[in-house]
Amino acid sequence: MAKGITRERIVAAALELLNEKGMDALTVRALASRLGVGAPALYWHVRNKQELLDEMSTFVMRRVIAALSEIAPEAGWRDGLAAYARVLRAEYLQHRDGARIFSGTRFSDPEVVRAKDPWLARLTAAGFSLAEADDAVDLVTAFVVGFVIEEQERSQSAGADPARYSLAGRDAWLGEGADLVKVAGHLRDDGDRRFERQLTVVLDGLAARSRPA
């Protein structure tokens, strides 16, 4: 085992590599080169790329949990889930392809998984069944992941090709008709306002299913 190589150092280097070159360039070989060791040295700590992504996702979720710990215990389920969504999005946006590292990963720290228990308790106390409470957390998570993936992909694509999302060019490409599609395109807003508006729709849907005791 290479001296000085720890999981924490591996994850820090992996996040740096991710930010510089993106998800597709993040490989065990490239990471080993950055750390100045041979790839076999990393296999003492992470067996493959999927396990590396698990560690990175766990690191991000620890930061999310730390931020959420500052929320007052008496906060309602809706405010709690909204705060969770905002913190999760903010953490993902700190890293290139940040939302993509979460998809399909498994947390490596049991304390991260245990931290979900108080949220399930809050939701079940508000009238959700346990299955519905679990679905609610998963639904908000899926919304954030999908929103940020689209958000980051559009930003990166526009950076490479500023004309890619030109509304004038799109209108001309659509030709005659499709007037509502054209108007909707001009009404579209990105970023925080769109996120908050769509998050409200998700939370409204969950509220309609709750059954207060």
PDB file of all heavy atoms in Angstrom, residues 184-213:
ATOM      1  N   ALA A 184     -43.550  29.533 -25.584  1.00  0.00           N
ATOM      2  CA  ALA A 184     -43.077  28.857 -24.375  1.00  0.00           C
ATOM      3  C   ALA A 184     -41.556  28.893 -24.288  1.00  0.00           C
ATOM      4  O   ALA A 184     -40.983  29.062 -23.206  1.00  0.00           O
ATOM      5  CB  ALA A 184     -43.567  27.412 -24.353  1.00  0.00           C
ATOM      6  N   GLY A 185     -40.900  28.765 -25.420  1.00  0.00           N
ATOM      7  CA  GLY A 185     -39.442  28.827 -25.441  1.00  0.00           C
ATOM      8  C   GLY A 185     -38.926  30.166 -24.964  1.00  0.00           C
ATOM      9  O   GLY A 185     -37.921  30.242 -24.243  1.00  0.00           O
ATOM     10  N   HIS A 186     -39.626  31.247 -25.343  1.00  0.00           N
ATOM     11  CA  HIS A 186     -39.209  32.583 -24.924  1.00  0.00           C
ATOM     12  C   HIS A 186     -39.559  32.867 -23.457  1.00  0.00           C
ATOM     13  O   HIS A 186     -38.970  33.758 -22.848  1.00  0.00           O
ATOM     14  CB  HIS A 186     -39.848  33.632 -25.834  1.00  0.00           C
ATOM     15  CG  HIS A 186     -39.231  33.701 -27.195  1.00  0.00           C
ATOM     16  ND1 HIS A 186     -38.181  34.538 -27.498  1.00  0.00           N
ATOM     17  CD2 HIS A 186     -39.488  32.996 -28.332  1.00  0.00           C
ATOM     18  CE1 HIS A 186     -37.826  34.374 -28.766  1.00  0.00           C
ATOM     19  NE2 HIS A 186     -38.604  33.438 -29.303  1.00  0.00           N
ATOM     20  N   LEU A 187     -40.522  32.131 -22.933  1.00  0.00           N
ATOM     21  CA  LEU A 187     -40.903  32.318 -21.534  1.00  0.00           C
ATOM     22  C   LEU A 187     -39.982  31.553 -20.580  1.00  0.00           C
ATOM     23  O   LEU A 187     -39.957  31.839 -19.389  1.00  0.00           O
ATOM     24  CB  LEU A 187     -42.347  31.834 -21.312  1.00  0.00           C
ATOM     25  CG  LEU A 187     -43.464  32.664 -21.952  1.00  0.00           C
ATOM     26  CD1 LEU A 187     -44.802  31.980 -21.748  1.00  0.00           C
ATOM     27  CD2 LEU A 187     -43.490  34.077 -21.371  1.00  0.00           C
ATOM     28  N   ARG A 188     -39.269  30.585 -21.133  1.00  0.00           N
ATOM     29  CA  ARG A 188     -38.442  29.723 -20.287  1.00  0.00           C
ATOM     30  C   ARG A 188     -37.377  30.518 -19.541  1.00  0.00           C
ATOM     31  O   ARG A 188     -36.707  31.367 -20.107  1.00  0.00           O
ATOM     32  CB  ARG A 188     -37.757  28.649 -21.136  1.00  0.00           C
ATOM     33  CG  ARG A 188     -36.877  27.712 -20.313  1.00  0.00           C
ATOM     34  CD  ARG A 188     -36.107  26.760 -21.209  1.00  0.00           C
ATOM     35  NE  ARG A 188     -35.191  25.948 -20.429  1.00  0.00           N
ATOM     36  CZ  ARG A 188     -35.385  24.684 -20.090  1.00  0.00           C
ATOM     37  NH1 ARG A 188     -36.473  24.072 -20.494  1.00  0.00           N
ATOM     38  NH2 ARG A 188     -34.499  24.026 -19.355  1.00  0.00           N
ATOM     39  N   ASP A 189     -37.256  30.241 -18.256  1.00  0.00           N
ATOM     40  CA  ASP A 189     -36.180  30.824 -17.464  1.00  0.00           C
ATOM     41  C   ASP A 189     -35.399  29.681 -16.841  1.00  0.00           C
ATOM     42  O   ASP A 189     -35.929  28.616 -16.557  1.00  0.00           O
ATOM     43  CB  ASP A 189     -36.718  31.769 -16.380  1.00  0.00           C
ATOM     44  CG  ASP A 189     -37.737  31.083 -15.480  1.00  0.00           C
ATOM     45  OD1 ASP A 189     -38.233  30.012 -15.852  1.00  0.00           O
ATOM     46  OD2 ASP A 189     -38.040  31.633 -14.408  1.00  0.00           O
ATOM     47  N   ASP A 190     -34.124  29.889 -16.651  1.00  0.00           N
ATOM     48  CA  ASP A 190     -33.272  28.856 -16.082  1.00  0.00           C
ATOM     49  C   ASP A 190     -32.756  29.299 -14.714  1.00  0.00           C
ATOM     50  O   ASP A 190     -32.882  30.456 -14.329  1.00  0.00           O
ATOM     51  CB  ASP A 190     -32.092  28.561 -17.022  1.00  0.00           C
ATOM     52  CG  ASP A 190     -32.549  27.916 -18.321  1.00  0.00           C
ATOM     53  OD1 ASP A 190     -33.357  26.980 -18.252  1.00  0.00           O
ATOM     54  OD2 ASP A 190     -32.101  28.357 -19.395  1.00  0.00           O
ATOM     55  N   GLY A 191     -32.184  28.369 -14.012  1.00  0.00           N
ATOM     56  CA  GLY A 191     -31.567  28.719 -12.740  1.00  0.00           C
ATOM     57  C   GLY A 191     -32.520  28.669 -11.569  1.00  0.00           C
ATOM     58  O   GLY A 191     -33.448  27.861 -11.522  1.00  0.00           O
ATOM     59  N   ASP A 192     -32.296  29.559 -10.606  1.00  0.00           N
ATOM     60  CA  ASP A 192     -32.994  29.500  -9.325  1.00  0.00           C
ATOM     61  C   ASP A 192     -34.505  29.616  -9.453  1.00  0.00           C
ATOM     62  O   ASP A 192     -35.246  28.878  -8.795  1.00  0.00           O
ATOM     63  CB  ASP A 192     -32.491  30.618  -8.410  1.00  0.00           C
ATOM     64  CG  ASP A 192     -31.040  30.431  -8.015  1.00  0.00           C
ATOM     65  OD1 ASP A 192     -30.507  29.317  -8.227  1.00  0.00           O
ATOM     66  OD2 ASP A 192     -30.432  31.394  -7.506  1.00  0.00           O
ATOM     67  N   ARG A 193     -34.996  30.534 -10.279  1.00  0.00           N
ATOM     68  CA  ARG A 193     -36.441  30.732 -10.364  1.00  0.00           C
ATOM     69  C   ARG A 193     -37.148  29.491 -10.908  1.00  0.00           C
ATOM     70  O   ARG A 193     -38.197  29.088 -10.395  1.00  0.00           O
ATOM     71  CB  ARG A 193     -36.771  31.948 -11.235  1.00  0.00           C
ATOM     72  CG  ARG A 193     -36.437  33.287 -10.587  1.00  0.00           C
ATOM     73  CD  ARG A 193     -36.954  34.439 -11.408  1.00  0.00           C
ATOM     74  NE  ARG A 193     -36.384  34.453 -12.754  1.00  0.00           N
ATOM     75  CZ  ARG A 193     -36.762  35.280 -13.718  1.00  0.00           C
ATOM     76  NH1 ARG A 193     -37.714  36.172 -13.484  1.00  0.00           N
ATOM     77  NH2 ARG A 193     -36.188  35.243 -14.903  1.00  0.00           N
ATOM     78  N   ARG A 194     -36.578  28.902 -11.922  1.00  0.00           N
ATOM     79  CA  ARG A 194     -37.174  27.692 -12.482  1.00  0.00           C
ATOM     80  C   ARG A 194     -37.109  26.538 -11.466  1.00  0.00           C
ATOM     81  O   ARG A 194     -38.070  25.796 -11.308  1.00  0.00           O
ATOM     82  CB  ARG A 194     -36.442  27.313 -13.771  1.00  0.00           C
ATOM     83  CG  ARG A 194     -37.066  26.138 -14.517  1.00  0.00           C
ATOM     84  CD  ARG A 194     -36.309  25.895 -15.834  1.00  0.00           C
ATOM     85  NE  ARG A 194     -36.916  24.844 -16.617  1.00  0.00           N
ATOM     86  CZ  ARG A 194     -37.944  25.012 -17.445  1.00  0.00           C
ATOM     87  NH1 ARG A 194     -38.493  26.222 -17.585  1.00  0.00           N
ATOM     88  NH2 ARG A 194     -38.447  24.004 -18.132  1.00  0.00           N
ATOM     89  N   PHE A 195     -35.994  26.438 -10.780  1.00  0.00           N
ATOM     90  CA  PHE A 195     -35.845  25.385  -9.774  1.00  0.00           C
ATOM     91  C   PHE A 195     -36.897  25.533  -8.678  1.00  0.00           C
ATOM     92  O   PHE A 195     -37.573  24.561  -8.314  1.00  0.00           O
ATOM     93  CB  PHE A 195     -34.446  25.445  -9.171  1.00  0.00           C
ATOM     94  CG  PHE A 195     -34.213  24.418  -8.094  1.00  0.00           C
ATOM     95  CD1 PHE A 195     -33.903  23.107  -8.416  1.00  0.00           C
ATOM     96  CD2 PHE A 195     -34.295  24.764  -6.744  1.00  0.00           C
ATOM     97  CE1 PHE A 195     -33.691  22.149  -7.426  1.00  0.00           C
ATOM     98  CE2 PHE A 195     -34.088  23.818  -5.756  1.00  0.00           C
ATOM     99  CZ  PHE A 195     -33.787  22.507  -6.094  1.00  0.00           C
ATOM    100  N   GLU A 196     -37.045  26.734  -8.145  1.00  0.00           N
ATOM    101  CA  GLU A 196     -38.002  26.957  -7.062  1.00  0.00           C
ATOM    102  C   GLU A 196     -39.437  26.714  -7.519  1.00  0.00           C
ATOM    103  O   GLU A 196     -40.247  26.147  -6.772  1.00  0.00           O
ATOM    104  CB  GLU A 196     -37.858  28.377  -6.513  1.00  0.00           C
ATOM    105  CG  GLU A 196     -36.565  28.616  -5.747  1.00  0.00           C
ATOM    106  CD  GLU A 196     -36.477  27.811  -4.460  1.00  0.00           C
ATOM    107  OE1 GLU A 196     -37.535  27.450  -3.892  1.00  0.00           O
ATOM    108  OE2 GLU A 196     -35.352  27.530  -4.008  1.00  0.00           O
ATOM    109  N   ARG A 197     -39.749  27.117  -8.727  1.00  0.00           N
ATOM    110  CA  ARG A 197     -41.105  26.924  -9.240  1.00  0.00           C
ATOM    111  C   ARG A 197     -41.428  25.431  -9.384  1.00  0.00           C
ATOM    112  O   ARG A 197     -42.498  24.966  -8.977  1.00  0.00           O
ATOM    113  CB  ARG A 197     -41.256  27.638 -10.581  1.00  0.00           C
ATOM    114  CG  ARG A 197     -42.681  27.647 -11.135  1.00  0.00           C
ATOM    115  CD  ARG A 197     -42.813  28.586 -12.317  1.00  0.00           C
ATOM    116  NE  ARG A 197     -42.035  28.125 -13.466  1.00  0.00           N
ATOM    117  CZ  ARG A 197     -40.934  28.759 -13.906  1.00  0.00           C
ATOM    118  NH1 ARG A 197     -40.481  29.822 -13.274  1.00  0.00           N
ATOM    119  NH2 ARG A 197     -40.294  28.313 -14.971  1.00  0.00           N
ATOM    120  N   GLN A 198     -40.503  24.688  -9.935  1.00  0.00           N
ATOM    121  CA  GLN A 198     -40.747  23.265 -10.131  1.00  0.00           C
ATOM    122  C   GLN A 198     -40.697  22.502  -8.808  1.00  0.00           C
ATOM    123  O   GLN A 198     -41.445  21.533  -8.611  1.00  0.00           O
ATOM    124  CB  GLN A 198     -39.747  22.704 -11.136  1.00  0.00           C
ATOM    125  CG  GLN A 198     -39.950  23.281 -12.538  1.00  0.00           C
ATOM    126  CD  GLN A 198     -39.020  22.666 -13.571  1.00  0.00           C
ATOM    127  OE1 GLN A 198     -38.188  21.813 -13.264  1.00  0.00           O
ATOM    128  NE2 GLN A 198     -39.155  23.112 -14.807  1.00  0.00           N
ATOM    129  N   LEU A 199     -39.834  22.929  -7.895  1.00  0.00           N
ATOM    130  CA  LEU A 199     -39.804  22.313  -6.569  1.00  0.00           C
ATOM    131  C   LEU A 199     -41.137  22.498  -5.865  1.00  0.00           C
ATOM    132  O   LEU A 199     -41.631  21.577  -5.196  1.00  0.00           O
ATOM    133  CB  LEU A 199     -38.668  22.911  -5.735  1.00  0.00           C
ATOM    134  CG  LEU A 199     -38.556  22.437  -4.281  1.00  0.00           C
ATOM    135  CD1 LEU A 199     -38.335  20.926  -4.210  1.00  0.00           C
ATOM    136  CD2 LEU A 199     -37.427  23.179  -3.564  1.00  0.00           C
ATOM    137  N   THR A 200     -41.737  23.659  -6.026  1.00  0.00           N
ATOM    138  CA  THR A 200     -43.050  23.919  -5.424  1.00  0.00           C
ATOM    139  C   THR A 200     -44.091  22.945  -5.953  1.00  0.00           C
ATOM    140  O   THR A 200     -44.931  22.444  -5.197  1.00  0.00           O
ATOM    141  CB  THR A 200     -43.491  25.368  -5.705  1.00  0.00           C
ATOM    142  OG1 THR A 200     -42.595  26.268  -5.053  1.00  0.00           O
ATOM    143  CG2 THR A 200     -44.902  25.617  -5.185  1.00  0.00           C
ATOM    144  N   VAL A 201     -44.047  22.657  -7.240  1.00  0.00           N
ATOM    145  CA  VAL A 201     -44.985  21.695  -7.832  1.00  0.00           C
ATOM    146  C   VAL A 201     -44.799  20.314  -7.199  1.00  0.00           C
ATOM    147  O   VAL A 201     -45.773  19.635  -6.850  1.00  0.00           O
ATOM    148  CB  VAL A 201     -44.795  21.618  -9.357  1.00  0.00           C
ATOM    149  CG1 VAL A 201     -45.653  20.508  -9.957  1.00  0.00           C
ATOM    150  CG2 VAL A 201     -45.143  22.954 -10.014  1.00  0.00           C
ATOM    151  N   VAL A 202     -43.547  19.900  -7.033  1.00  0.00           N
ATOM    152  CA  VAL A 202     -43.261  18.603  -6.419  1.00  0.00           C
ATOM    153  C   VAL A 202     -43.792  18.564  -4.988  1.00  0.00           C
ATOM    154  O   VAL A 202     -44.461  17.599  -4.575  1.00  0.00           O
ATOM    155  CB  VAL A 202     -41.743  18.318  -6.438  1.00  0.00           C
ATOM    156  CG1 VAL A 202     -41.425  17.055  -5.638  1.00  0.00           C
ATOM    157  CG2 VAL A 202     -41.240  18.172  -7.867  1.00  0.00           C
ATOM    158  N   LEU A 203     -43.522  19.603  -4.226  1.00  0.00           N
ATOM    159  CA  LEU A 203     -43.958  19.633  -2.831  1.00  0.00           C
ATOM    160  C   LEU A 203     -45.472  19.729  -2.709  1.00  0.00           C
ATOM    161  O   LEU A 203     -46.067  19.140  -1.796  1.00  0.00           O
ATOM    162  CB  LEU A 203     -43.286  20.791  -2.100  1.00  0.00           C
ATOM    163  CG  LEU A 203     -41.756  20.707  -1.978  1.00  0.00           C
ATOM    164  CD1 LEU A 203     -41.196  21.963  -1.337  1.00  0.00           C
ATOM    165  CD2 LEU A 203     -41.341  19.466  -1.192  1.00  0.00           C
ATOM    166  N   ASP A 204     -46.100  20.462  -3.614  1.00  0.00           N
ATOM    167  CA  ASP A 204     -47.562  20.539  -3.621  1.00  0.00           C
ATOM    168  C   ASP A 204     -48.172  19.147  -3.841  1.00  0.00           C
ATOM    169  O   ASP A 204     -49.173  18.780  -3.222  1.00  0.00           O
ATOM    170  CB  ASP A 204     -48.059  21.490  -4.714  1.00  0.00           C
ATOM    171  CG  ASP A 204     -47.902  22.954  -4.335  1.00  0.00           C
ATOM    172  OD1 ASP A 204     -47.620  23.252  -3.148  1.00  0.00           O
ATOM    173  OD2 ASP A 204     -48.058  23.809  -5.227  1.00  0.00           O
ATOM    174  N   GLY A 205     -47.564  18.402  -4.758  1.00  0.00           N
ATOM    175  CA  GLY A 205     -48.047  17.055  -5.016  1.00  0.00           C
ATOM    176  C   GLY A 205     -47.913  16.154  -3.796  1.00  0.00           C
ATOM    177  O   GLY A 205     -48.807  15.381  -3.466  1.00  0.00           O
ATOM    178  N   LEU A 206     -46.798  16.274  -3.094  1.00  0.00           N
ATOM    179  CA  LEU A 206     -46.601  15.490  -1.883  1.00  0.00           C
ATOM    180  C   LEU A 206     -47.579  15.918  -0.792  1.00  0.00           C
ATOM    181  O   LEU A 206     -48.124  15.066  -0.066  1.00  0.00           O
ATOM    182  CB  LEU A 206     -45.158  15.648  -1.382  1.00  0.00           C
ATOM    183  CG  LEU A 206     -44.076  15.024  -2.262  1.00  0.00           C
ATOM    184  CD1 LEU A 206     -42.693  15.394  -1.733  1.00  0.00           C
ATOM    185  CD2 LEU A 206     -44.226  13.501  -2.315  1.00  0.00           C
ATOM    186  N   ALA A 207     -47.831  17.220  -0.683  1.00  0.00           N
ATOM    187  CA  ALA A 207     -48.748  17.714   0.335  1.00  0.00           C
ATOM    188  C   ALA A 207     -50.161  17.183   0.098  1.00  0.00           C
ATOM    189  O   ALA A 207     -50.899  16.894   1.054  1.00  0.00           O
ATOM    190  CB  ALA A 207     -48.745  19.243   0.330  1.00  0.00           C
ATOM    191  N   ALA A 208     -50.533  17.043  -1.165  1.00  0.00           N
ATOM    192  CA  ALA A 208     -51.865  16.544  -1.489  1.00  0.00           C
ATOM    193  C   ALA A 208     -52.056  15.091  -1.066  1.00  0.00           C
ATOM    194  O   ALA A 208     -53.188  14.621  -0.882  1.00  0.00           O
ATOM    195  CB  ALA A 208     -52.119  16.671  -2.996  1.00  0.00           C
ATOM    196  N   ARG A 209     -50.939  14.367  -0.889  1.00  0.00           N
ATOM    197  CA  ARG A 209     -51.014  12.961  -0.511  1.00  0.00           C
ATOM    198  C   ARG A 209     -50.880  12.736   1.002  1.00  0.00           C
ATOM    199  O   ARG A 209     -51.114  11.632   1.473  1.00  0.00           O
ATOM    200  CB  ARG A 209     -49.935  12.159  -1.228  1.00  0.00           C
ATOM    201  CG  ARG A 209     -50.126  12.093  -2.738  1.00  0.00           C
ATOM    202  CD  ARG A 209     -49.053  11.231  -3.374  1.00  0.00           C
ATOM    203  NE  ARG A 209     -49.105   9.860  -2.884  1.00  0.00           N
ATOM    204  CZ  ARG A 209     -49.886   8.915  -3.405  1.00  0.00           C
ATOM    205  NH1 ARG A 209     -50.683   9.216  -4.430  1.00  0.00           N
ATOM    206  NH2 ARG A 209     -49.872   7.683  -2.923  1.00  0.00           N
ATOM    207  N   SER A 210     -50.464  13.767   1.723  1.00  0.00           N
ATOM    208  CA  SER A 210     -50.283  13.594   3.161  1.00  0.00           C
ATOM    209  C   SER A 210     -51.630  13.550   3.848  1.00  0.00           C
ATOM    210  O   SER A 210     -52.619  14.123   3.386  1.00  0.00           O
ATOM    211  CB  SER A 210     -49.428  14.731   3.744  1.00  0.00           C
ATOM    212  OG  SER A 210     -50.127  15.952   3.697  1.00  0.00           O
ATOM    213  N   ARG A 211     -51.678  12.881   4.987  1.00  0.00           N
ATOM    214  CA  ARG A 211     -52.917  12.746   5.753  1.00  0.00           C
ATOM    215  C   ARG A 211     -52.602  13.105   7.202  1.00  0.00           C
ATOM    216  O   ARG A 211     -52.234  12.226   8.011  1.00  0.00           O
ATOM    217  CB  ARG A 211     -53.450  11.311   5.678  1.00  0.00           C
ATOM    218  CG  ARG A 211     -53.808  10.889   4.262  1.00  0.00           C
ATOM    219  CD  ARG A 211     -54.285   9.434   4.244  1.00  0.00           C
ATOM    220  NE  ARG A 211     -53.215   8.542   4.691  1.00  0.00           N
ATOM    221  CZ  ARG A 211     -52.261   8.085   3.880  1.00  0.00           C
ATOM    222  NH1 ARG A 211     -52.257   8.457   2.612  1.00  0.00           N
ATOM    223  NH2 ARG A 211     -51.325   7.283   4.337  1.00  0.00           N
ATOM    224  N   PRO A 212     -52.669  14.399   7.537  1.00  0.00           N
ATOM    225  CA  PRO A 212     -52.324  14.818   8.901  1.00  0.00           C
ATOM    226  C   PRO A 212     -53.089  14.039   9.958  1.00  0.00           C
ATOM    227  O   PRO A 212     -54.276  13.790   9.813  1.00  0.00           O
ATOM    228  CB  PRO A 212     -52.692  16.305   8.911  1.00  0.00           C
ATOM    229  CG  PRO A 212     -52.658  16.701   7.475  1.00  0.00           C
ATOM    230  CD  PRO A 212     -53.120  15.511   6.698  1.00  0.00           C
ATOM    231  N   ALA A 213     -52.388  13.653  11.007  1.00  0.00           N
ATOM    232  CA  ALA A 213     -53.046  12.902  12.085  1.00  0.00           C
ATOM    233  C   ALA A 213     -54.003  13.794  12.824  1.00  0.00           C
ATOM    234  O   ALA A 213     -53.743  14.990  12.996  1.00  0.00           O
ATOM    235  CB  ALA A 213     -51.974  12.369  13.039  1.00  0.00           C
TER     236      ALA A 213
END
